[in-house]
Amino acid sequence: MASGLTGIARDRLHAASPTAVQPSRLQTLSKGFNLGHWQRHNLADGYYTLATLQQYKRLGLTYTRLPVVLSTFFDNKNPGVLKTDSLVTLDAIVRLHAQVGLGIILSPFNHPKSLYSDSAVLAKFVAFFKAFATHLRNTDPEKVFLEVMNEPNAETPQAWDRVQVELIKAMRTGAPHHTIIASSNVSATANDWNNARSLPLTRIVADKNVVYNFHFYEPFVFTHQGASWGWRATQFMKNIPYPANLTTVTPLLHAIQDTEAKKAVEHYAQQQWNRDKLITLLFPVANWARTHNVAVLCNEFGAIPWTVPRGSLLRYLKDVRQVLESLGIGWGQWFELDVYDAEIMQALGLKPIRH
């Protein structure tokens, strides 16, 4: 595909009948920001205010995604009954979104690895998810979305499927009318950490009111350069450009002292990452969705704004956002951004706010 979707590609994407999820809900899931602060802090700290959400609405955003840290609500000794300390705060956050007219995805974070292999642990989470969904069943299903789990990491997508089927059944019992956001395994195989490739391996569930989600941080060498967490090699990568080829990247290699990092950056250059490369990764996701008459969502994408070169960041955000939109896939930016940064907001196709 030379510079965008070809006519044949567009025809294939529009050949199948639409998903069963209501179009109004898919529109709500079209443009989002993640409330990432609340993955690490108490929900009651008031970090995201009514004024913040009103700014998001003015930008043209349609939803946010809230990390729901499981330990805040999950009682291991009595999993069918929610911890109540933060429920009032959670309900208030949901009401703020309703007041502003934004959708909200509630996404459980920090689940145990034993969930994939221990039937007793799974049984506890089935009880919890039923209770959590029941608590939210009287919220507006046009605006409130229930995600199964943030970034499951089972050995294979199939191992995660067995868990997800049971959790979705439990959630549907508790909230019969809400759209559920199915989670795809973060890796396609043990050695292939690419959520865009793992999504088409995800089992289609019988429930039709489901959107299938994936995260997109490709190419990782670019998006996570300088990161001090996760893959150790990223901390040695800096000034990595996008788009990239051997001509633009080779001069940077001599400054990288770590062997693993240098090899990864060189491989990144050889792959010639650009807009067309993004299309080759994301088109199969959209084609899979059309083939199976399901809706897909990318509720996390982005690059670290404090380590990625500014011009490259702008080009990357614009390219990924435009490719997703051209394929009919809603998106959610992960890293917190300055809403007054006109260039960044424009790269995301949003309406900049003036001071």
Side-chain angles (χ1 to χ4, degrees):
M1 300 180 193
S3 59
L5 293 176
T6 66
I8 294 175
R10 286 193 296 269
D11 291 343
R12 289 175 63 190
L13 285 175
H14 293 289
S17 60
T19 172
V21 179
Q22 295 180 24
S24 58
R25 299 187 186 185
L26 296 179
Q27 178 59 37
T28 296
L29 293 172
S30 60
K31 300 179 181 183
F33 276 1
N34 281 267
L35 306 183
H37 169 90
W38 279 331
Q39 180 189 0
R40 304 174 303 278
H41 300 88
N42 192 300
L43 285 175
D45 69 2
Y47 184 77
Y48 296 102
T49 64
L50 176 62
T52 302
L53 297 182
Q54 288 172 333
Q55 286 180 325
Y56 285 0
K57 182 72 172 180
R58 286 167 56 197
L59 285 170
L61 293 171
T62 56
Y63 79 94
T64 75
R65 179 171 175 256
L66 173 67
V68 177
V69 177
L70 282 163
S71 60
T72 305
F73 301 99
F74 179 79
D75 183 348
N76 189 57
K77 295 181 179 179
N78 192 10
V81 178
L82 304 180
K83 290 182 181 179
T84 59
D85 294 353
S86 297
L87 278 179
V88 171
T89 302
L90 178 69
D91 294 344
I93 292 169
V94 172
R95 285 196 300 272
L96 279 180
H97 282 74
Q99 182 178 342
V100 174
L102 285 173
I104 182 170
I105 297 174
L106 301 173
S107 176
F109 272 55
N110 303 350
H111 61 285
K113 290 274 289 185
S114 56
L115 177 62
Y116 313 135
S117 56
D118 190 327
S119 60
V121 173
L122 176 57
K124 288 183 178 182
F125 274 84
V126 165
F128 168 78
F129 272 75
K130 179 180 178 182
F132 190 71
T134 299
H135 177 77
L136 294 159
R137 71 187 303 164
N138 292 325
T139 59
D140 183 359
E142 286 292 316
K143 295 296 185 181
V144 179
F145 301 82
L146 307 180
E147 187 170 344
V148 180
M149 200 75 76
N150 176 67
E151 296 189 345
N153 184 24
E155 290 187 0
T156 65
Q158 293 73 30
W160 167 242
D161 286 340
R162 294 191 291 271
V163 173
Q164 175 151 258
V165 166
E166 299 304 318
L167 296 182
I168 288 178
K169 288 179 182 177
M171 295 165 75
R172 180 57 70 216
T173 300
H177 304 299
H178 286 66
T179 297
I180 292 171
I181 311 296
S183 305
S184 54
N185 206 50
V186 295
S187 57
T189 67
N191 298 313
D192 186 6
W193 283 61
N194 187 312
N195 208 191
R197 280 197 285 267
S198 70
L199 176 61
L201 302 175
T202 300
R203 182 192 302 179
I204 305 295
V205 297
D207 194 315
K208 300 300 182 184
N209 193 10
V210 170
V211 174
Y212 294 81
N213 183 61
F214 69 105
H215 292 172
F216 191 79
Y217 292 110
E218 302 299 324
F220 201 78
V221 165
F222 170 77
T223 64
H224 282 66
Q225 59 184 287
S228 58
W229 67 91
W231 182 24
R232 58 163 294 281
T234 55
Q235 63 188 299
F236 304 105
M237 303 172 188
K238 61 180 60 177
N239 300 320
I240 311 301
Y242 169 89
N245 53 47
L246 284 170
T247 300
T248 58
V249 174
T250 296
L252 305 173
L253 294 176
H254 74 277
I256 302 175
Q257 301 303 312
D258 183 80
T259 301
E260 184 181 16
K262 180 177 291 189
K263 183 177 179 181
V265 172
E266 186 173 20
H267 181 63
Y268 163 71
Q270 291 169 343
Q271 290 181 303
Q272 300 189 49
W273 279 93
N274 55 27
R275 183 186 178 93
D276 289 345
K277 180 78 171 178
L278 297 175
I279 292 172
T280 63
L281 276 180
L282 290 168
F283 176 78
V285 171
N287 194 47
W288 172 82
R290 287 288 176 173
T291 299
H292 294 282
N293 297 338
V294 297
V296 293
L297 171 68
C298 177
N299 68 18
E300 276 193 33
F301 91 98
I304 304 176
W306 56 91
T307 60
V308 170
R310 171 76 175 187
S312 293
L313 175 64
L314 293 172
R315 289 188 290 272
Y316 179 79
L317 292 178
K318 182 178 180 179
D319 279 359
V320 176
R321 188 264 303 176
Q322 287 186 336
V323 171
L324 288 170
E325 290 178 349
S326 72
L327 294 169
I329 299 174
W331 54 262
Q333 155 72 27
W334 172 257
F335 296 101
E336 187 171 2
L337 300 171
D338 180 0
V339 298
Y340 295 109
D341 189 327
E343 289 183 324
I344 292 287
M345 295 304 110
Q346 288 169 346
L348 291 170
L350 302 174
K351 295 172 288 189
I353 298 174
R354 295 182 179 179
H355 280 284

